[in-house]
Amino acid sequence: MKRQARGARLAATIDELRCNSEMLHLLLEDLSELPAEPLDRENAEWMLAVVEKMVDNLARQCRLEEEQEYMADVLDQFPSWYPQIEHLQQEQELLRRQLGDIRARLAGEVHRGVVGRETRRQLRDWIQGFRQHDAREGELIHDAFTLDVGAGE
């Protein structure tokens, strides 16, 4: 009975992780359309709202992954990959902190009525860094799956 409950909790967590990840990617797409020219107040407030939602989602993502022991299944199969996984986890934490810093700076600028070019550049750089991190994470999972399936043949 306990095993079934644990399995149900794990399935619910995985579903929540998937939904959260999909939401992050949708928000990233919204921010990717960030205009290069100065923003009016309405667009600046919209951008701040999207960034705030991303901060919340990224924090939830990190918490859920931590609860499930980040990439535990990969580490179970390939313990020697610990350094790469540790690096990805540290990178994700750095990205989370950077986005929080961008949000704080953006909130101050929106309050003053001007979103600076530097803040928009930092946000575009962050988006690029997050996408690169996401791709590296996906490649590692893909490699683990491919090697695991290949080993069974």
Side-chain angles (χ1 to χ4, degrees), residues 19-153:
C19 289
N20 196 64
S21 180
E22 289 171 3
M23 175 62 81
L24 273 169
H25 286 91
L26 289 172
L27 293 168
L28 277 174
E29 288 304 314
D30 282 350
L31 284 177
S32 295
E33 299 168 8
L34 188 65
E37 65 274 355
L39 301 172
D40 61 22
R41 186 163 193 90
E42 182 181 334
N43 283 328
E45 289 172 353
W46 166 83
M47 185 171 68
L48 177 59
V50 171
V51 169
E52 287 176 338
K53 183 66 176 167
M54 286 182 65
V55 167
D56 293 344
N57 279 40
L58 196 53
R60 179 184 300 128
Q61 183 95 6
C62 290
R63 181 185 49 79
L64 290 169
E65 288 175 349
E66 199 172 283
E67 286 174 8
Q68 296 304 314
E69 297 181 22
Y70 185 71
M71 293 206 183
D73 292 340
V74 173
L75 279 174
D76 287 345
Q77 291 293 333
F78 306 99
S80 65
W81 291 13
Y82 179 80
Q84 294 98 306
I85 291 172
E86 180 71 14
H87 177 76
L88 283 171
Q89 196 169 20
Q90 290 170 353
E91 185 178 68
Q92 185 177 47
E93 178 59 26
L94 177 63
L95 285 164
R96 189 185 65 74
R97 284 195 317 268
Q98 287 173 337
L99 187 60
D101 293 345
I102 291 169
R103 181 201 61 204
R105 182 175 182 169
L106 183 59
E109 290 179 0
V110 167
H111 179 72
R112 288 188 302 277
V114 177
V115 176
R117 190 173 292 153
E118 178 63 17
T119 301
R120 291 193 316 260
R121 185 199 57 76
Q122 286 178 342
L123 186 55
R124 279 191 298 273
D125 290 350
W126 185 90
I127 291 169
Q128 182 180 2
F130 183 83
R131 285 184 171 150
Q132 290 169 348
H133 166 81
D134 198 43
R136 283 190 292 275
E137 199 174 58
E139 288 168 9
L140 190 108
I141 291 168
H142 178 265
D143 290 349
F145 177 78
T146 302
L147 289 171
D148 188 42
V149 169
E153 293 179 7

